[in-house]
Amino acid sequence: MNIAKNARREFLKNASTIGMFCALGATGLIQCESKKERFYTYPPLLNQAPDGPVLRAGLIGCGYRGTGAVLNFLNAGPNLEITALADVFIDKIELCNKILKEKKGFEVPQEYCFVGFDAFEKVLDSGVDVVILATPPNFRPEHLAACVKARKHVFMEKPIAVDPVGVRSVMISGERADALGLSIVTGTIKRHQKDYIETFRQVAKGEIGDVVSANSYYNVGKLWHKKPKSEWTEMEAMIRDWVNWCWLSGDHIVEQNVHNLDTVNWFVGKHPVKAVGFGARHRRLTGNQYDMFSVDFLYDNDVHYHSMCRQINGCENNVSDQIRGTQGYTNCKNTIYNHDSSIKWAFDYGNKDQMLPISPYDQEHIDWVTAIRTGQPVNETQAIAESTMTGIMGRISAYTGKETTWEEMMNSDIYLSPKHYSFGKVDVDKSVPVPGL
């Protein structure tokens, strides 16, 4: 497809720049991967963004998470406004406005509520200063590229793509945002939590020694599904049921498990280079995704990371991370242990200076607005792009039964989206993947 070729050509053109990337996360973490040493600095996590001129935000994607995100944005500080809404379904906009009225006492005027696949363009032309992207992740690369071209600061939900072409497009947009001094914060909330940040600081100082292995688990029940109605077109049915279709969500190893993948990549300080995995589908009622994945990721220093995720009701649940080193291990959240399981270090939740009574969903917006108003841009694009690509690499290995490499992903023309967006039949692969075929 042309979009695949164009994205690959653009990526290769920017590859030398991306290779020298120094990622500045919203927590202030600086990782200069062009140097052997790793340096870390942390500005304080504020409980409110500083005052400043009014920031007018537009929301693109008015579902549950998008509606939550605009409330988080409005909680972040003074002089913050929501002035435009966009979605492909009018009922989503109406519900978002209803919740804004109930919780914040206002509604976005109808003339600034835009419906359709091109609604994001109308938001960008409506006079907004910043944009919140919360559609199904399939749409994120195109929407982010348009926001950066329009020179808008962006908060975007995770993950940021569903296929290698989309991830590389986001990497390019991130580089362009850097050049323009734009701030981009993503929905990887653990990077905005004091306990995780302080635990990471201890690991970076060498408290567990050299990393030798990692495990993570995102084993939970099903999310939800929407059975198609007779009056819906195939496109509408799929979008309303988006968490069950790979071309829209990336499958749950990407859409949900990206939180754990991002945590481990963050603590290890790099992305894996290979994946071998398997998965299965037993209980899903709609869509074409798997119910479970088990993937062995390999980093370039021969460190193995086992990632397990599952969405089936009635099973043992576990959402956690563990990273082992030569001198101990950590749960990444708040504790470092010696090898005999005795506690070596623990985050002090009783210290009021250590913790803020702030939701991490609010905190990421506080960090975003603070970066904008202080003129100190932050850009989390590269980190979430790598974590999303990690999930895609594991998914493709499980779908095919083959070893999959990072190099293959960075050169892949796999592109899952339909050629055209309209409410009718959808020209995508709807089959359930079968390994070995």
Side-chain angles (χ1 to χ4, degrees), residues 268-322:
V268 174
K270 60 182 76 176
H271 60 74
V273 295
K274 292 181 180 179
V276 176
F278 58 86
R281 175 188 174 102
H282 296 294
R283 302 284 294 278
R284 258 178 165 75
L285 300 175
T286 61
N288 65 342
Q289 297 184 171
Y290 280 5
D291 293 316
M292 65 191 77
F293 290 89
S294 179
V295 181
D296 176 36
F297 292 103
L298 180 68
Y299 291 89
D300 61 5
N301 55 349
D302 206 33
V303 168
H304 286 262
Y305 160 37
H306 177 218
S307 171
M308 184 189 300
C309 56
R310 186 215 65 234
Q311 291 181 345
I312 299 178
N313 290 340
C315 299
E316 183 71 21
N317 292 337
N318 179 10
V319 180
S320 64
D321 311 287
Q322 185 180 98

Side-chain angles (χ1 to χ4, degrees), residues 135-147:
T135 64
N138 166 76
F139 300 99
R140 202 86 74 243
E142 180 184 10
H143 292 175
L144 178 63
C147 289

Side-chain angles (χ1 to χ4, degrees), residues 212-280:
V212 297
S213 67
N215 296 78
S216 72
Y217 309 89
Y218 213 119
N219 295 335
V220 295
K222 68 171 286 186
L223 294 183
W224 47 267
H225 75 280
K226 298 284 187 182
K227 291 185 177 180
K229 296 182 178 180
S230 58
E231 63 268 26
W232 292 351
T233 65
E234 185 176 50
M235 179 66 80
E236 178 170 0
M238 283 184 159
I239 294 178
R240 290 191 183 276
D241 189 42
W242 68 270
V243 296
N244 296 292
W245 292 99
C246 187
W247 76 270
L248 283 162
S249 82
D251 212 321
H252 66 96
I253 189 176
V254 178
E255 197 281 325
Q256 186 178 65
N257 190 53
V258 72
H259 282 298
N260 287 4
L261 300 175
D262 185 70
T263 301
V264 174
N265 281 355
W266 176 25
F267 275 66
V268 174
K270 60 182 76 176
H271 60 74
V273 295
K274 292 181 180 179
V276 176
F278 58 86

Side-chain angles (χ1 to χ4, degrees), residues 13-28:
K13 185 171 70 175
N14 288 273
S16 60
T17 304
I18 293 174
M20 297 297 289
F21 181 80
C22 291
L24 174 60
T27 57

Side-chain angles (χ1 to χ4, degrees), residues 40-310:
Y40 305 91
T41 61
Y42 299 83
L45 293 181
L46 306 177
N47 60 6
Q48 187 179 64
D51 201 354
V54 172
L55 283 178
R56 298 176 298 273
L59 170 64
I60 300 172
C62 298
Y64 172 80
R65 182 77 284 272
T67 300
V70 293
L71 296 175
N72 302 135
F73 174 75
L74 293 170
N75 291 341
N79 285 326
L80 302 175
E81 298 179 356
I82 303 298
T83 61
L85 301 176
D87 202 282
V88 294
F89 302 125
I90 186 62
D91 59 289
K92 296 293 185 182
I93 293 175
E94 291 171 345
L95 180 57
C96 182
N97 247 340
K98 179 182 178 183
I99 292 173
L100 284 173
K101 181 69 172 179
E102 292 173 351
K103 294 185 177 294
K104 297 297 181 179
F106 76 93
E107 292 180 325
V108 175
Q110 289 302 308
E111 59 266 32
Y112 290 99
C113 295
F114 307 108
V115 181
F117 289 110
D118 63 347
F120 72 98
E121 297 171 340
K122 297 172 183 176
V123 168
L124 295 177
D125 291 337
S126 70
V128 298
D129 305 300
V130 303
V131 179
I132 298 170
L133 299 180
T135 64
N138 166 76
F139 300 99
R140 202 86 74 243
E142 180 184 10
H143 292 175
L144 178 63
C147 289
V148 172
K149 184 178 180 180
R151 302 192 175 209
K152 308 297 183 184
H153 302 284
V154 176
F155 174 86
M156 58 179 176
E157 266 303 336
K158 56 77 209 163
I160 47 76
V162 298
D163 51 43
V165 170
V167 173
R168 297 199 304 269
S169 171
V170 167
M171 288 178 172
I172 293 165
S173 293
E175 287 292 313
R176 290 172 175 165
D178 271 341
L180 293 170
L182 300 175
S183 286
I184 301 179
V185 170
T186 66
T188 46
I189 59 173
K190 295 177 184 178
R191 293 180 184 251
H192 300 264
Q193 293 180 236
K194 186 71 170 178
D195 44 7
Y196 278 92
I197 293 170
E198 291 300 324
T199 306
F200 171 76
R201 190 203 300 264
Q202 298 300 315
V203 172
K205 286 166 54 180
E207 287 301 308
I208 68 169
D210 295 330
V211 174
V212 297
S213 67
N215 296 78
S216 72
Y217 309 89
Y218 213 119
N219 295 335
V220 295
K222 68 171 286 186
L223 294 183
W224 47 267
H225 75 280
K226 298 284 187 182
K227 291 185 177 180
K229 296 182 178 180
S230 58
E231 63 268 26
W232 292 351
T233 65
E234 185 176 50
M235 179 66 80
E236 178 170 0
M238 283 184 159
I239 294 178
R240 290 191 183 276
D241 189 42
W242 68 270
V243 296
N244 296 292
W245 292 99
C246 187
W247 76 270
L248 283 162
S249 82
D251 212 321
H252 66 96
I253 189 176
V254 178
E255 197 281 325
Q256 186 178 65
N257 190 53
V258 72
H259 282 298
N260 287 4
L261 300 175
D262 185 70
T263 301
V264 174
N265 281 355
W266 176 25
F267 275 66
V268 174
K270 60 182 76 176
H271 60 74
V273 295
K274 292 181 180 179
V276 176
F278 58 86
R281 175 188 174 102
H282 296 294
R283 302 284 294 278
R284 258 178 165 75
L285 300 175
T286 61
N288 65 342
Q289 297 184 171
Y290 280 5
D291 293 316
M292 65 191 77
F293 290 89
S294 179
V295 181
D296 176 36
F297 292 103
L298 180 68
Y299 291 89
D300 61 5
N301 55 349
D302 206 33
V303 168
H304 286 262
Y305 160 37
H306 177 218
S307 171
M308 184 189 300
C309 56
R310 186 215 65 234

